[in-house]
C-alpha cells in the first residue's frame, strides 16, 4: 500500500506544522488505512482559526468583576399579596394565550453523560421517579405530553444531544415508542465539539486514531439549531417561542405560562428563571447587572467577598441565581446564530485519559476544555426578564451521586411536593417523613390540577402511584 501523503494530506501537514500541532501525526504511519483515514478526516475538520483563538485564551489573565462593576438585576419576584397575585395571573394569561395559539416549542439540553452519577449512559436515561424508576427523559416527556393536552397545542420537543450520546439517546426513544409523544413531534439535533488542549495549548489524542474533543457547551445551542434546520421549521409552523431547560431537573415546568407571559410582556429575546440562593456558595450563576447590562455570571467567577455581601436586612445583595431555564424568541436565536462575534469562550480545566507521545495511555490533569454558555447571549438582548420561581416546585437538579443535588435529594423534593398537594386537597396522609409517592405529570402537573382530580376521602395506601 502506498502510504505517501497525497496533496490534501500534505496541505494538512503544513497547516498543522504552522500552528505547532504536527505532533498529532508522529505515529500516523503505524495506523492501518481505516484508522489513518479517521484521524486525517477529524484533523481536516479542525477550525484552525478557532484553535489559534483558544491558545490565546490560555495566555489571557483571568478576570473577575469588582463590586463597582456588578449589581443585582431587577427580578420579577413571586407575589406576596392579593394585588401581586392578580397581576401575575394577568401576565400568566399572556403565556396561556401563546400556548393555546401553538406558538411554543420545548427544548431540552441533553448532551451530557451520567458520569458524575456513576451512570455510563446519557444522563436523560437515568431512572429518577421515586417508585417506578421512570427515566428523566420519560418524566420530562410526560410533562410535554401533559402540557399538549392541557393547552390543546402541538408543543414540539427539541432535544440537543452531543456526538457522544446522540445514537444511544435516539435508540432509547425508539425502543420506548417516544413515550406516546409521536416520533414526528420529537426532534433531535447535535451540538458541536471542540478540541481539548493540554495546558500548553497542544492537541491531545484520546486514541491513536482520534483527537480528544468535548461538547461546546449549552451556548452551542444557537449554532446547532441553525445547522439543524430547526429554526426554519419553527418559523414555518408559526412558533416564535422556545421554552428551554436542562435534562436533569425533573421538577421543571416545561411550558410555564407565567414565565412565558413575562417574556412576552417585555418583548424579550432571552429570559431566565431564577430563585433566591440558599447561601453565597450555592452553585448557581448570579443574575446581575454587569457593566450596565443584564448578565448571568458563573458563581466561580465572582470574588467571594462580593458573592457573600449582604444588605442591612441580612439578605444577600446578589440574591438570585439562575436555574438554567430560559425562554428564547426564535428571531433572537436566528440573530445570535448569524452574529459573527459569537459568544465568548469559557475555559475549564479537567482531567482526561489521553495517549502520551509514546502512544501510552495515561491520566492527564490540567487539560483545557472550551465552552460557550447560553446565558452569555444576554449581551445581545434589548430586553430580558429574570423571573423568580418557587424552589420547592421547580428545582430538583440531579447532578451528584450523593448529597445535595443528587437522585436522593431530587426524589425527596418530589415526594415532599406531592405530600403538600395531598394535604392541600384534604387527603389525610401519615406523618411519617415522605412516604413512597409518585404522581405522574399525566395525572397532574400542578397543585391546582391535582386538586381538581383528587377528592378528599379515606387515607390512601402506600406506595401511592397515580398515573395517567
Amino acid at each position: 500500500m502506498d502510504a505517501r501523503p497525497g496533496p490534501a494530506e500534505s496541505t494538512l501537514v503544513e497547516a498543522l506544522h504552522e500552528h505547532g500541532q504536527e505532533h498529532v501525526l508522529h505515529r500516523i504511519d503505524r495506523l492501518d488505512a481505516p484508522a489513518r483515514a479517521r484521524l486525517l478526516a477529524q484533523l481536516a475538520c479542525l477550525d484552525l482559526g478557532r484553535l489559534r483563538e483558544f491558545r490565546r485564551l490560555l495566555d489571557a489573565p483571568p478576570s473577575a468583576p469588582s463590586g463597582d462593576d456588578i449589581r443585582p438585576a431587577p427580578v420579577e419576584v413571586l407575589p406576596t399579596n392579593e394585588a401581586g397575585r392578580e397581576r401575575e395571573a394577568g401576565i400568566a394569561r399572556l403565556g396561556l394565550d401563546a400556548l393555546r395559539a401553538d406558538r411554543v416549542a420545548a427544548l431540552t439540553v441533553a448532551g451530557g453523560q451520567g458520569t458524575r452519577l456513576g451512570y455510563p449512559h446519557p444522563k436523560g436515561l437515568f431512572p429518577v421517579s421515586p417508585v417506578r424508576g421512570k427515566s428523566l427523559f420519560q418524566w420530562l416527556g410526560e410533562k410535554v405530553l401533559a402540557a399538549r393536552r392541557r393547552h390543546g397545542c402541538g408543543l414540539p420537543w427539541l432535544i440537543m444531544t452531543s456526538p457522544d450520546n446522540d445514537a444511544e439517546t435516539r435508540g432509547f426513544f425508539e425502543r420506548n415508542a417516544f413515550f406516546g409523544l409521536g416520533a414526528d413531534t420529537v426532534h433531535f439535533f447535535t451540538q458541536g465539539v471542540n478540541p481539548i488542549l493540554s495546558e500548553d495549548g497542544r492537541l491531545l489524542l484520546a486514541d491513536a486514531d482520534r483527537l480528544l474533543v468535548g461538547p461546546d457547551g449549552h451556548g452551542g445551542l444557537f449554532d446547532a439549531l441553525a445547522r439543524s434546520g430547526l429554526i426554519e421549521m419553527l418559523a414555518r409552523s408559526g412558533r416564535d417561542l422556545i421554552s428551554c431547560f436542562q435534562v436533569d431537573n425533573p421538577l421543571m415546568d416545561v411550558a410555564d405560562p407565567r414565565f412565558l407571559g413575562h417574556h412576552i410582556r417585555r418583548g424579550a429575546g432571552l429570559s431566565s428563571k431564577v430563585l433566591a440562593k440558599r447561601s453565597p456558595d450555592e452553585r448557581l450563576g448570579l443574575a446581575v447587572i454587569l457593566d450596565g447590562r443584564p448578565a448571568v455570571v458563573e458563581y466561580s467567577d465572582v470574588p467571594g467577598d462580593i458573592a457573600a455581601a449582604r444588605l442591612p436586612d441580612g439578605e444577600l445583595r446578589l440574591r438570585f441565581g439562575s436555574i438554567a431555564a430560559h425562554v428564547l424568541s426564535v428571531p433572537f436565536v436566528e440573530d445570535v446564530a448569524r452574529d459573527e462575534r459569537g459568544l465568548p469562550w469559557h475555559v475549564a480545566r479537567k482531567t482526561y485519559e489521553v495517549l502520551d507521545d509514546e502512544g501510552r495511555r495515561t491520566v492527564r490533569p490540567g487539560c483545557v476544555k472550551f465552552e460557550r454558555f447560553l446565558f452569555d447571549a444576554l449581551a445581545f438582548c434589548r430586553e430580558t426578564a429574570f423571573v423568580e420561581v418557587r424552589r420547592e416546585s421547580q428545582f430538583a437538579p440531579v447532578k451528584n451521586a450523593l448529597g445535595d443535588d443528587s437522585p436522593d435529594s431530587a426524589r425527596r423534593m418530589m415526594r415532599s411536593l406531592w405530600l403538600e398537594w395531598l394535604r392541600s386537597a384534604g387527603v389525610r396522609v401519615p406523618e411519617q417523613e415522605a412516604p413512597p409517592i409518585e404522581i405522574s405529570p399525566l395525572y397532574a402537573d400542578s397543585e391546582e390540577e391535582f386538586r381538581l382530580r383528587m377528592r378528599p376521602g379515606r387515607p390512601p395506601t402506600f406506595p401511592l402511584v397515580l398515573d395517567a
Side-chain angles (χ1 to χ4, degrees):
M1 181 184 69
D2 188 355
R4 289 175 299 174
E9 185 175 334
S10 295
T11 301
L12 176 60
V13 170
E14 290 174 10
L16 290 169
H17 182 79
E18 179 185 345
H19 287 80
Q21 303 291 352
E22 66 276 6
H23 62 279
V24 294
L25 297 175
H26 284 171
R27 302 174 66 83
I28 194 169
D29 290 340
R30 305 187 184 193
L31 300 179
D32 61 23
R36 180 188 183 102
R38 283 192 296 272
L39 179 58
L40 290 173
Q42 192 179 21
L43 289 166
C45 291
L46 277 177
D47 183 336
L48 292 173
R50 179 175 291 182
L51 184 60
R52 185 164 50 242
E53 180 183 358
F54 288 167
R55 296 186 77 176
R56 283 198 301 268
L57 285 174
L58 292 179
D59 298 327
S63 62
S66 71
D68 296 331
D69 301 330
I70 190 168
R71 58 187 174 84
V75 170
E76 302 289 350
V77 298
L78 289 164
T80 57
N81 55 39
E82 191 57 35
R85 284 187 284 273
E86 288 181 6
R87 175 181 179 273
E88 292 296 311
I91 291 170
R93 282 193 288 274
L94 295 175
L96 284 169
D97 290 344
L99 286 162
R100 291 164 181 163
D102 212 1
R103 293 173 53 193
V104 184
L107 191 158
T108 301
V109 176
Q113 296 289 100
T115 307
R116 283 166 62 184
L117 300 173
Y119 183 71
H121 301 286
K123 187 184 278 190
L125 277 62
F126 188 84
V128 72
S129 72
V131 179
R132 292 192 169 171
K134 294 177 181 177
S135 67
L136 283 160
F137 275 135
Q138 179 171 355
W139 198 256
L140 293 174
E142 290 185 4
K143 283 177 171 277
V144 170
L145 186 53
R148 290 179 185 177
R149 293 173 177 174
R150 186 183 313 120
H151 304 299
C153 62
L155 194 66
W157 191 13
L158 284 52
I159 300 174
M160 186 170 78
T161 63
S162 67
D164 283 344
N165 75 9
D166 182 71
E168 191 172 359
T169 297
R170 290 173 186 258
F172 183 70
F173 273 78
E174 290 166 2
R175 290 192 303 277
N176 288 279
F178 290 80
F179 306 108
L181 292 158
D184 59 336
T185 71
V186 180
H187 307 272
F188 301 98
F189 67 108
T190 306
Q191 69 187 115
V193 296
N194 289 319
I196 294 170
L197 304 182
S198 65
E199 58 272 27
D200 57 354
R202 290 170 22 120
L203 291 168
L204 296 167
L205 290 172
D207 215 329
D209 60 349
R210 183 165 52 91
L211 290 176
L212 182 67
V213 298
D216 59 2
H218 44 69
L221 176 149
F222 298 95
D223 287 342
L225 276 173
R227 289 194 308 270
S228 70
L230 288 170
I231 294 178
E232 290 83 355
M233 183 203 78
L234 294 177
R236 285 195 307 270
S237 64
R239 295 185 173 95
D240 62 338
L241 298 166
I242 299 172
S243 172
C244 176
F245 46 90
Q246 303 281 324
V247 74
D248 58 8
N249 181 6
L251 283 187
M252 176 55 58
D253 187 338
V254 304
D256 185 339
R258 175 175 169 261
F259 187 32
L260 289 162
H262 277 291
H263 179 89
I264 293 165
R265 176 175 166 271
R266 290 263 186 166
L270 167 62
S271 297
S272 304
K273 284 187 177 180
V274 298
L275 47 76
K277 293 185 66 167
R278 287 173 171 154
S279 65
D281 55 358
E282 185 173 10
R283 299 162 74 91
L284 298 175
L286 291 163
V288 300
I289 300 297
L290 181 63
D291 295 329
R293 305 199 62 152
V296 171
V297 181
E298 278 286 273
Y299 60 89
S300 55
D301 292 340
V302 178
D305 59 330
I306 295 175
R310 294 188 181 270
L311 300 173
D313 63 2
E315 282 190 349
L316 288 169
R317 176 174 174 267
L318 301 179
R319 179 184 174 204
F320 290 101
S322 167
I323 63 170
H326 309 278
V327 174
L328 299 138
S329 294
V330 170
F332 176 74
V333 174
E334 292 180 288
D335 289 345
V336 175
R338 281 196 301 262
D339 196 299
E340 292 182 358
R341 291 173 295 171
L343 303 179
W345 293 105
H346 295 259
V347 173
R349 287 174 168 79
K350 300 190 175 184
T351 297
Y352 291 93
E353 188 175 72
V354 301
L355 293 189
D356 66 14
D357 290 341
E358 304 302 319
R360 297 173 301 221
R361 196 165 297 281
T362 184
V363 174
R364 181 165 186 155
C367 303
V368 189
K369 182 180 181 182
F370 299 87
E371 299 175 298
R372 281 174 165 158
F373 296 157
L374 187 157
F375 50 68
D376 282 332
L378 286 166
F380 299 99
C381 282
R382 288 188 294 272
E383 291 289 343
T384 188
F386 291 111
V387 181
E388 183 186 15
V389 296
R390 184 170 171 251
R391 181 188 293 267
E392 293 77 11
S393 61
Q394 292 218 32
F395 190 55
V398 180
K399 297 186 179 297
N400 306 314
L402 300 170
D404 292 339
D405 299 342
S406 67
D408 282 347
S409 68
R411 292 177 189 125
R412 280 197 305 271
M413 289 188 69
M414 295 165 83
R415 289 193 299 262
S416 295
L417 180 66
W418 296 327
L419 271 175
E420 184 181 311
W421 291 3
L422 284 162
R423 290 173 177 143
S424 173
V427 178
R428 288 177 293 159
V429 293
E431 292 301 322
Q432 71 185 86
E433 182 184 353
I437 308 172
E438 181 167 317
I439 300 175
S440 165
L442 295 172
Y443 184 90
D445 201 24
S446 69
E447 181 178 328
E448 295 74 20
E449 195 174 10
F450 182 78
R451 291 176 68 175
L452 290 173
R453 296 202 63 174
M454 175 62 69
R455 294 291 180 262
R458 61 188 176 85
T461 57
F462 294 96
L464 174 66
V465 177
L466 298 175
D467 227 317

